Amino acid sequence: MKSVFGLLGHPVGHSMSPLIHNDAFQALGIEAEYHAFDVESKAVKQAIEGIRALGIVGCNVTVPHKVAVMDYLDEIDEEAQLIGAVNTIVNDNGRLIGYNTDGRGYVESLLELVRMFQEKRVLIIGAGGAARGIVTSLLKEGIAELAITNRTLKKAESFNVLANQFNTNLVLLTKEEASSQTNEFDIIINTTSVGMSPHVNELPLSLNAVKEHAIVSDLIYNPIETSFLKVAKKLGAQPLNGVGMFVNQAALSFEYWTGKKPNRKRMEQLVLQQLGGK
Ligand code: ATR
């Protein structure tokens, strides 16, 4: 009998997770199937009970349930606790354990461009769930300085506690301050949805002062190259899109479930094919 894996989210119709996980199961000869389950917010508790009742072996969790599922799991891994959200559930013989692979997935994509984080000054645009995942993983790596800018700056204040835990200096900047100081940062990461299809001409921040060779990154992967990344490239910065994060978080989840490493390059090719075919 095939083992069942799944994605809990709402909506899930456009998710590429079934495509890459099912391909990886097949490639590795694992008798398993991955389904996208469209779960409304009011049914999250029942969905988690369903994992136990049906013997579903592992799940991903996506928007808007990453925080809500935490109440119904048996154990939450330390990094997921720090982030305050779960994107991966492992069913260990009926014991449900929550992990978060988003931040680490992103950091692993960044590691292809950066060797050492210790000297790096990082500017994050946005203060939502995605920002929290990435900031937590970056703080775990150890960075020189963290700055956050957000439309609602007050929301970024909650990151102070997190930064303090890692003895890292956190600076909160208005959009104007951040725009005029982009030359101070080695890594600039947009975690907001500004610039996502269909609003592809919008920029989350002006990059006029950006340092040559700085890394400018966008978690968005639709479009694959946002206006933000196009501008960054023109100014001599190194662009990094969100495809690597998507692939790596999936690969890390897969590793938690199966103990096996999927072929990340193959996953990436499938994602690029799918995005290019749109
Ligand atoms: P996610 O899990 O993707 O991070 P989220 O937790 O809802 O989603 O956070 C969305 C982030 O994008 C927030 O930082 C939000 O800014 P606010 O805190 O001010 O709401 C930011 N964001 C979303 N739409 C935006 C827009 N049009 N302009 C600027 N920032 C935006």
Side-chain angles (χ1 to χ4, degrees):
M1 204 173 68
K2 281 190 173 178
S3 312
V4 177
F5 293 80
L7 169 68
L8 312 180
H10 183 70
V12 291
H14 293 291
S15 170
M16 289 181 286
S17 294
L19 175 74
I20 58 175
H21 284 294
N22 282 322
D23 180 76
F25 286 136
Q26 219 168 23
L28 288 167
I30 299 171
E31 289 283 311
E33 242 174 282
Y34 185 107
H35 294 275
F37 295 107
D38 197 330
V39 177
E40 286 188 32
S41 291
K42 62 177 192 291
V44 167
K45 184 173 184 225
Q46 286 96 316
I48 301 295
E49 282 165 2
I51 295 177
R52 295 183 218 272
L54 302 173
I56 292 173
V57 184
C59 273
N60 280 130
V61 184
T62 188
V63 178
H65 305 321
K66 289 185 187 187
V67 178
V69 295
M70 295 176 78
D71 282 345
Y72 310 114
L73 304 177
D74 299 303
E75 192 181 321
I76 312 277
D77 157 79
E78 189 200 333
E79 189 164 5
Q81 265 178 41
L82 277 173
I83 296 171
V86 158
N87 81 328
T88 304
I89 299 172
V90 174
N91 183 352
D92 182 13
N93 291 312
R95 194 171 164 71
L96 301 189
I97 309 165
Y99 297 90
N100 195 315
T101 64
D102 287 330
R104 201 142 39 91
Y106 179 76
V107 166
E108 287 184 12
S109 79
L110 206 49
L111 277 167
E112 302 206 353
L113 297 178
V114 190
R115 279 284 132 250
M116 299 276 284
F117 285 112
Q118 276 69 20
E119 312 270 289
K120 305 295 183 208
R121 305 180 73 188
V122 181
L123 170 63
I124 305 280
I125 309 164
R132 203 169 165 89
I134 285 170
V135 163
T136 304
S137 299
L138 284 172
L139 288 170
K140 277 187 88 167
E141 287 292 325
I143 51 175
E145 187 184 299
L146 174 67
I148 300 183
T149 182
N150 193 40
R151 179 176 60 182
T152 322
L153 201 53
K154 197 137 188 56
K155 271 201 212 161
E157 283 174 11
S158 67
F159 283 75
N160 267 314
V161 180
L162 195 57
N164 277 342
Q165 272 176 281
F166 290 91
N167 297 317
T168 306
N169 189 32
L170 169 65
V171 185
L172 302 184
L173 301 173
T174 63
K175 190 170 174 176
E176 292 67 35
E177 286 167 340
S179 299
S180 64
Q181 292 173 32
T182 48
N183 59 327
E184 311 226 342
F185 296 97
D186 308 295
I187 304 172
I188 300 174
I189 308 167
N190 174 39
T191 71
T192 75
S193 52
V194 179
M196 193 185 283
S197 180
H199 307 290
V200 295
N201 294 321
E202 289 176 16
L203 288 176
L205 192 73
S206 156
L207 284 171
N208 289 337
V210 75
K211 270 203 292 202
E212 219 183 324
H213 306 305
I215 293 169
V216 174
S217 180
D218 210 323
L219 302 197
I220 296 172
Y221 50 80
N222 185 14
I224 296 175
E225 189 177 59
T226 57
S227 297
F228 190 53
L229 295 188
K230 282 188 186 141
V231 171
K233 232 157 97 175
K234 277 209 190 102
L235 294 169
Q238 305 178 69
L240 177 69
N241 65 27
V243 173
M245 175 182 180
F246 177 69
V247 165
N248 292 339
Q249 64 76 30
L252 292 167
S253 299
F254 192 97
E255 286 168 35
Y256 274 126
W257 298 326
T258 65
K260 298 206 165 90
K261 287 188 189 299
N263 182 336
R264 295 188 188 197
K265 271 276 156 250
R266 191 181 160 111
M267 282 181 159
E268 185 185 340
Q269 274 160 11
L270 280 173
V271 169
L272 291 175
Q273 249 172 38
Q274 189 78 2
L275 290 171
K278 270 187 178 171

